[in-house]
Amino acid sequence: IQERCINLAKRGLLALNVEWFGKGQLDTPGFAHYFINDLDLCGTSGVALHYLSQRRALDILLAHKNADPDRVAVTGLSGGGWQTIFISSLDTRVKLANPVAGYSSFVTRAQVQRNLGDSEQTPSDLATVIDYTHMTAMLAPRPALLTNNATDECCFRSDDTIGPLMSAAMPVYELFGKGDRLRYHINFEPGTHNYLQDNRQAFYEMLREYFFNGSKDFPTADIPSEKEVREAHELYVKLPADNLDFHQIALNLSKSLPRERALPVGKNAAAVWRSAALKRLQQIVRPAEFKATAEMAGEAALRGQDGVRITVWRIKMNGGVWTVPAVELEPRNATATVIVLGDSGRKALFPEVARLLGDGRRVIAIDPFYFGESGIGRYGYLYAMLLAAEGERPLGVQASQVAAISRWLTQRQAGLVSVAAFGPRTSLIASVAAALEPAAITSLELHGSFGSLREVIESKTKVEDAPELFCFGLLAQFDIKQLLALIAPRRVTLFVPSERAGAELRELAGYYKTLDVDFNPLTAASLPK
């Protein structure tokens, strides 16, 4: 970066290099995760902070006495390339843009795993509004050079990326009669993820043509600058002691969330609240109307020596949009059914399943999206984030799968259907499913549930470890207490609740009384059956 800036300065150009939140010096120590998704949970766009910072940098640049507002260029590599298209497409003060290996279309991301991007590249709902193809076209008629590397080992390789962007944007440039202003450059030497000499010189050539009328006095070859490169400590900019990062901003926001914390008092008020709150929950998690059908994964069901009938199922949602693997264990004379899911996947739930079978209940252990056998593997969280960028919510998909399976079981006349979740993540999924499905899910057992969604932020949970927890805007409207209140008067039992759960959820017993039900979710597990 220094060499780039020095080379620009030697050409008489003013160069401003800025580090945004979560980049370089502004990283949260010890965490590569940028915590943008913490802000998502709070209902605030982390990408908006990127954009506002970039726009403010332009303000500062253009306030400089030597700045020419008619000759403002933005360029950058990788995350810097993403920032280049983001600010350049939205702020026409940028007169020339050169993103280098910075982005691809959403179609390309879905097709090529290495192009999936990260939290900033795929913010929630972006693809429902605009694609990067449109952003590229929005540069028209300003000069733009799309630079990509032929053998890029990171992302956005030229053969994947350039074609869709050029074919989408060129017609717009041609409408302006400026088709020659949209160009691309493929780097072959070294061809890797770089902004080295070849890529820099391609940028200098654009500057000469469009900012200096093609003057031969403007050099386009790299100028030796190795002796002028400073040590890192010489360039360190001391930040204010109270300078906030994404995580700290999210912590501050979460303190006042959800916006309506108190539960309603009185049955009439509770009914009005529940109707409005359920609509808000649906808007946030965006559940799908899944209809579950099932096919046996084996030739036939097996009956074990203990009399338990075992059936392995593939449960298909809407004919196969999603498939959920499941194992059904049915003791003789079972009259009720419990759906079981856990943070570690269904294979790790043998002791829990054995206990439930001992109670005489039919058990169907499932792996919803992203858990157990339904995991995606490497880069799975990037697919989950891409799903959110396209307008769906991983949490909504998971909860809808659980709800659909409960309806399928009810139609099979499997008796009363309850859900038991083991772990904080699946406890949240089960809670949302029960709130959304009041008819088929008759009760809920939660083992290890969060007491508050603020714990997700406080514990610095990473999106790659639990993407469904960062459902955009969930904490702004609902915490665990409000979600469980939506399920009442059906019984929600918290087994061995944490100290945090005890403090955050103690109001629920009073809320059940408001509904004329004498029940305390925090102590019910220790009561006689």
Side-chain angles (χ1 to χ4, degrees):
I1 291 174
Q2 286 188 63
E3 289 176 332
R4 243 175 287 160
C5 291
I6 293 167
N7 262 274
L8 292 169
K10 286 183 174 181
R11 290 164 171 77
L13 298 176
L14 178 65
L16 179 65
N17 173 47
V18 180
E19 290 182 353
W20 313 121
F21 294 103
K23 297 289 186 185
Q25 186 177 316
L26 297 182
D27 276 347
T28 303
F31 285 87
H33 171 43
Y34 296 163
F35 297 106
I36 290 178
N37 306 91
D38 288 354
L39 293 172
D40 283 355
L41 181 57
C42 296
T44 297
S45 171
V47 171
L49 295 183
H50 275 280
Y51 170 67
L52 292 172
S53 298
Q54 294 165 24
R55 193 173 70 181
R56 183 61 182 141
L58 274 178
D59 295 341
I60 294 169
L61 177 67
L62 289 171
H64 195 284
K65 64 180 181 179
N66 293 334
D68 181 351
D70 293 324
R71 293 190 290 184
V72 177
V74 178
T75 186
L77 167 69
S78 196
W82 168 80
Q83 292 170 87
T84 297
I85 189 60
F86 220 80
I87 185 62
S88 301
S89 63
L90 297 174
D91 195 322
T92 55
R93 291 180 296 173
V94 178
K95 304 304 181 184
L96 186 152
N98 175 214
V100 181
Y103 66 94
S104 69
S105 73
F106 278 114
V107 173
T108 304
R109 291 169 194 272
Q111 293 174 338
V112 183
Q113 189 179 63
R114 62 176 171 269
N115 292 335
L116 282 167
D118 51 25
S119 298
E120 61 198 38
Q121 292 261 354
T122 52
S124 293
D125 293 336
L126 180 64
T128 69
V129 178
I130 198 168
D131 195 349
Y132 286 94
T133 51
H134 304 98
M135 288 190 192
T136 306
M138 287 167 66
L139 298 173
R142 295 168 289 161
L145 176 66
L146 310 183
T147 297
N148 295 87
N149 305 304
T151 56
D152 203 311
E153 75 284 9
C154 166
C155 45
F156 311 129
R157 205 171 68 190
S158 57
D159 55 345
D160 301 328
T161 303
I162 290 177
L165 297 177
M166 291 292 294
S167 62
M170 183 58 77
V172 181
Y173 271 82
E174 290 175 342
L175 287 173
F176 283 99
K178 302 292 184 181
D180 61 319
R181 291 191 173 186
L182 177 63
R183 303 179 183 182
Y184 68 88
H185 173 71
I186 300 176
N187 170 254
F188 292 95
E189 180 60 42
T192 54
H193 198 62
N194 79 95
Y195 204 144
L196 297 176
Q197 183 176 1
D198 176 61
N199 284 335
R200 291 201 294 263
Q201 292 181 166
F203 175 52
Y204 303 151
E205 289 173 3
M206 287 290 287
L207 293 178
R208 180 170 71 177
E209 180 172 351
Y210 289 103
F211 283 0
F212 295 93
N213 296 317
S215 172
K216 299 300 182 182
D217 295 332
F218 184 87
T220 59
D222 246 0
I223 300 170
S225 55
E226 293 84 354
K227 294 181 181 179
E228 299 175 64
V229 175
R230 306 290 184 88
E231 296 292 329
H233 71 272
E234 296 178 278
L235 298 174
Y236 184 83
V237 178
K238 187 175 181 180
L239 299 175
D242 60 351
N243 196 68
L244 300 180
D245 59 26
F246 277 135
H247 181 243
Q248 292 163 331
I249 294 171
L251 283 173
N252 288 347
L253 288 172
S254 69
K255 291 176 183 177
S256 60
L257 301 176
R259 297 188 182 101
E260 297 180 12
R261 292 194 177 189
L263 297 178
V265 177
K267 292 182 70 173
N268 290 337
V272 172
W273 172 81
R274 188 186 186 284
S275 177
L278 186 56
K279 290 179 182 178
R280 292 199 305 271
L281 181 62
Q282 291 170 334
Q283 291 170 350
I284 290 169
V285 304
R286 303 180 185 178
E289 291 296 325
F290 288 148
K291 180 178 180 181
T293 56
E295 61 181 31
M296 285 188 186
E299 293 183 0
L302 303 173
R303 180 76 70 176
Q305 293 181 349
D306 53 4
V308 175
R309 181 183 175 87
I310 303 170
T311 310
V312 181
W313 296 103
R314 296 188 189 96
I315 304 179
K316 297 182 178 295
M317 305 292 153
N318 293 356
V321 175
W322 297 92
T323 299
V324 177
V327 174
E328 182 179 6
L329 301 101
E330 182 181 9
R332 298 184 190 278
N333 304 317
T335 58
T337 300
V338 56
I339 301 170
V340 174
L341 60 158
D343 287 18
S344 299
R346 60 188 171 87
K347 289 184 178 180
L349 295 176
F350 178 80
E352 289 77 13
V353 169
R355 175 182 65 81
L356 294 166
L357 288 172
D359 294 339
R361 289 189 277 182
R362 178 189 296 104
V363 175
I364 182 160
I366 68 171
D367 279 331
F369 167 57
Y370 209 80
F371 289 87
E373 289 185 64
S374 295
I376 300 176
R378 190 181 184 192
Y379 303 131
Y381 73 100
L382 296 178
Y383 285 104
M385 288 195 298
L386 183 59
L387 192 69
E390 294 173 346
E392 295 194 57
R393 298 291 181 263
L395 178 60
V397 170
Q398 294 157 339
S400 298
Q401 291 174 342
V402 175
I405 291 170
S406 71
R407 292 191 294 271
W408 169 70
L409 288 166
T410 300
Q411 292 165 1
R412 288 179 56 201
Q413 297 182 340
L416 296 178
V417 176
S418 60
V419 178
F422 297 85
R425 295 171 61 195
T426 46
S427 288
L428 176 62
I429 294 167
S431 298
V432 173
L436 296 172
E437 182 47 63
I441 298 176
T442 61
S443 64
L444 195 60
E445 297 180 12
L446 304 180
H447 302 253
S449 171
F450 289 119
S452 170
L453 289 172
R454 291 189 295 277
E455 294 178 65
V456 176
I457 300 171
E458 293 163 0
S459 64
K460 296 184 178 179
T461 300
K462 297 181 180 182
V463 68
E464 49 261 49
D465 294 330
E468 73 285 336
L469 297 183
F470 299 89
C471 183
F472 193 94
L474 182 60
L475 181 55
Q477 295 289 339
F478 298 93
D479 206 343
I480 300 298
K481 179 177 71 175
Q482 288 76 22
L483 289 174
L484 299 188
L486 271 177
I487 301 168
R490 290 169 292 158
R491 297 194 171 199
V492 180
T493 304
L494 282 88
F495 284 76
V496 194
S498 66
E499 183 177 343
R500 180 68 173 273
E504 296 275 357
L505 306 178
R506 61 178 179 271
E507 190 181 344
L508 285 172
Y511 183 71
Y512 272 90
K513 287 185 178 180
T514 290
L515 303 178
D516 297 332
V517 177
D518 187 12
F519 179 75
N520 186 345
L522 296 171
T523 61
S526 62
L527 296 176
K529 294 181 182 179

